[in-house]
Amino acid sequence: MSSEQERLDQALEETLVEIKQLNKKLEDKADYGLGKGGPTIYEWEFNLALRQSLEAKAKSIRAALRKMQEGSYGVCEVCGQEIDAERLAVLPHTTHCIKCAQARR
Ligand SMILES: [Zn+2]
């Protein structure tokens, strides 16, 4: 198993644990005084947004793991160039090189 794969496996596991914890918090929405306009609604919405971004992250990590099995890991989806190793070290699940990631913004 390559170290990148281990890192991704670990990142996926951590992300899934975070999602689970958030799901628990979101289930307790009765305690947040939903519909009463209290400040806690913001916390609930914040957790909801956080869960969405974590789910997106989990999805991209899974995609990266699949690419690793296919042997196309670390290749930009847009331009087909190899993604910079330093970028992959920071964002192991990225599917875009730095140029294409900036162009997408
Ligand atoms: Zn690219």
Side-chain angles (χ1 to χ4, degrees):
M1 195 190 262
S2 71
S3 61
E4 279 97 353
Q5 190 175 343
E6 269 174 41
R7 276 165 50 107
L8 282 170
D9 275 332
Q10 202 186 346
L12 181 61
E13 209 164 292
E14 283 168 10
T15 305
L16 292 177
V17 167
E18 280 181 72
I19 290 173
K20 233 186 229 171
Q21 288 168 346
L22 274 175
N23 277 339
K24 239 183 224 163
K25 282 188 195 170
L26 287 165
E27 272 170 26
D28 294 338
K29 62 184 172 190
D31 298 339
Y32 283 85
L34 260 192
K36 285 174 195 162
T40 44
I41 184 98
Y42 297 113
E43 194 184 340
W44 191 81
E45 281 178 353
F46 174 79
N47 285 334
L48 196 66
L50 192 62
R51 187 181 67 179
Q52 277 170 351
S53 75
L54 284 170
E55 278 170 351
K57 188 177 167 190
K59 205 174 143 191
S60 61
I61 295 172
R62 281 201 185 96
L65 282 166
R66 202 167 49 232
K67 276 172 193 287
M68 233 172 237
Q69 284 169 349
E70 291 168 354
S72 63
Y73 176 69
V75 175
C76 175
E77 269 184 355
V78 178
C79 67
Q81 299 278 319
E82 274 188 33
I83 300 171
D84 195 69
E86 278 175 30
R87 178 167 164 75
L88 282 175
V90 181
L91 286 171
H93 56 280
T94 189
T95 53
H96 292 86
C97 73
I98 194 150
K99 255 198 253 169
C100 295
Q102 280 169 352
R104 263 156 51 102
R105 275 181 202 154

